Amino acid sequence: MRRRNFLSAGAAVGGLGLLAACAPGSDSGGGGETAPAADEVETDIASLGDITLTVWDQEVRGAQNDAIEALLGAFQEKFPNVTVERNSRSFDDLQQQTSLALSGNDVPDVLQVNNARGDMGTFVADGLLTDLTGYAEAYGWRDRFSPSVLSKMQYSADGVTFGEGSLYGLAQTGEVCGIFYSQKKLDELGLTAPATWDELFSLVDAAAEAGERPIMLGNLDQWPALHVFGPLQANFVDAQTIITLGMGNAGADWTSEDNLAALTQLGEWGASGALGDSPNGLAYDDAWPMFTEGDGVLLIGGNWLGPDMEAVMGEDLRFMAPPAGADGKVATTGGTGIPFSIPAAAENQAAAAAFIDFITSYDAMAMIAENGGMPVNRTAELAPETGVNKDIYEAFDAVTTEGTLLPYLDYATPSFADTAGATLQELIGGQTDPAGAAEALQEDYGAFTEGS
């Protein structure tokens, strides 16, 4: 599940990166040296002799753990000379240990690194992660992954530009924010799932007139509103502008007319009660269970809610990507699971790259789906035959292959999660107006981009 604030882990690294990056690597250009070109990449892992590959991950939940364990077994069967030592821990624990590990002497070969600026961006700037460009070319990763997915794991070498440049990780799973709805509620209201944003706005009005809560939102935690606003913003703002804002790159402006229109719509939903009487007083983990019990017609949020809500609602629960946005194509907030990276000081980089290639291969996608995860590739092909996950898989595939997977807006700056969360909460609650909200967002974004 995507967390609200993932920006603190790398803050303590600072100048330690250059020291750690100078440690020697044993098999393919590690230790902070220039990354190997595609024709220099060693892909014959059997020729490397006996290797112990150390992997640190946070795939500890049921489906996640089942998938990675199955893949570890298959990898070692294919490469019997490689023994994988897996060190799994919670997301929070892994974040706390990552900066210490990267700047120390006991460095893992493969490490899941959160792709936000305060983590992956900081580690890239400090020279602590391996540029995977040569491996990507040797293994064909750019043919396997869509550009909008890969962009979530790309940085310039100085860590300043997010979404472009070299590749520093590769993910197995996908995330997408879309629209959950109760088919029963729509049938009772004589409505159908919206095919356009105008139809969605009309649906919200009709639900309110019928005495229903149109959109369930629990925003006490502040970050859930970003998962509502992100898809909504795409109706008013072109995808490239949202990418620029969300990646924290220079060249866009939160106070533009189209962003003001998006903020105005969210503010109107808050003022009219479309989000409920007190969405800012309702916790996220209280809101979605209420939705499963019949409170609300729509819930705009992340795909990770699907299995738990389906357990209660069964076939009544449906999911769809938002209607086509300002570009005429579907665009919505989303991303990837935590990418797998190779530390610059990793001892076994060639084997590490082979491992990452294996666990993100087309065959691996099938294993992930079989174990209950949502693979980042082959998603529609591997969708279940029925149920809400069929909707989710097909929606993610449509967004990543035909539309644009937009970044989580709190990727933008080290402080933007707090700024945006508080600002949207105030906008929904009527404590600020759209112009004031735009100015607050621009102040944080502008200060960061001007200083970077």
Side-chain angles (χ1 to χ4, degrees), residues 50-395:
D50 292 338
I51 291 174
T52 297
L53 191 74
T54 305
V55 176
W56 286 17
D57 69 78
Q58 56 90 60
E59 306 295 303
V60 295
R61 301 182 190 88
Q64 294 174 316
N65 184 69
D66 292 345
I68 198 71
E69 283 292 325
L71 287 165
L72 286 176
F75 177 79
Q76 290 180 117
E77 183 176 344
K78 181 176 180 179
F79 300 109
N81 62 309
V82 180
T83 300
V84 178
E85 287 190 356
R86 181 187 177 208
N87 186 329
S88 61
R89 55 189 72 196
S90 71
F91 175 86
D92 290 332
D93 286 347
L94 185 64
Q95 270 201 312
Q96 292 170 5
Q97 293 298 318
T98 293
S99 58
L100 297 175
L102 288 174
S103 58
N105 295 321
D106 188 15
V107 182
D109 298 301
V110 178
L111 173 67
Q112 276 188 289
V113 177
N114 191 35
N115 38 354
R117 281 188 175 276
D119 294 307
M120 184 176 283
T122 298
F123 301 142
V124 168
D126 284 345
L128 297 175
L129 296 179
T130 296
D131 178 347
L132 302 180
T133 301
Y135 298 112
E137 294 175 4
Y139 285 109
W141 294 343
R142 295 191 184 280
D143 296 328
R144 188 186 304 169
F145 288 79
S146 72
S148 66
V149 169
L150 285 180
S151 69
K152 308 301 185 293
M153 299 164 280
Q154 290 180 264
Y155 280 90
S156 59
D158 58 7
V160 171
T161 302
F162 188 8
E164 301 175 8
S166 297
L167 188 68
Y168 288 94
L170 211 57
Q172 295 179 298
T173 57
E175 296 177 352
V176 63
C177 290
I179 302 169
F180 289 99
Y181 61 96
S182 164
Q183 185 63 59
K184 184 185 300 182
K185 283 287 181 72
L186 292 190
D187 292 343
E188 291 172 353
L189 294 170
L191 301 171
T192 58
T196 67
W197 276 99
D198 285 343
E199 290 182 9
L200 189 147
F201 296 143
S202 295
L203 187 157
V204 168
D205 292 341
E209 291 173 6
E212 295 278 0
R213 185 201 304 255
I215 303 171
M216 170 59 73
L217 174 64
N219 195 44
L220 180 64
D221 313 87
Q222 296 189 340
W223 60 265
L226 275 73
H227 296 177
V228 175
F229 180 73
L232 175 66
Q233 184 186 24
N235 177 51
F236 298 92
V237 186
D238 67 275
Q240 186 53 56
T241 297
I242 297 174
I243 290 170
T244 301
L245 291 168
M247 295 295 202
N249 297 324
D253 190 336
W254 273 102
T255 64
S256 66
E257 185 175 326
D258 48 5
N259 276 307
L260 279 170
L263 291 164
T264 297
Q265 181 62 64
L266 183 67
E268 289 177 356
W269 275 352
S272 69
L275 304 174
D277 294 335
S278 183
N280 289 333
L282 182 63
Y284 178 79
D285 284 328
D286 292 330
W288 65 260
M290 292 170 60
F291 182 79
T292 68
E293 295 165 3
D295 189 349
V297 179
L298 309 176
L299 188 156
I300 303 175
N303 64 281
W304 50 84
L305 290 172
D308 287 336
M309 294 203 297
E310 185 181 38
V312 179
M313 298 176 68
E315 294 183 0
D316 181 37
L317 181 67
R318 301 296 306 275
F319 181 90
M320 60 174 282
D327 295 336
K329 298 180 180 180
V330 61
T332 188
T333 303
T336 69
I338 308 298
F340 288 82
S341 299
I342 302 176
E347 183 178 359
N348 301 297
Q349 292 200 6
F355 176 82
I356 292 173
D357 178 67
F358 186 88
I359 65 171
T360 60
S361 66
Y362 284 131
D363 288 343
M365 296 298 110
M367 295 181 71
I368 291 167
E370 288 168 6
N371 284 280
M374 187 174 79
V376 73
N377 291 325
R378 300 182 64 196
T379 318
E381 175 190 348
L382 296 168
E385 293 184 3
T386 60
V388 73
N389 266 348
K390 174 179 171 61
D391 295 342
I392 290 170
Y393 281 40
E394 292 174 349

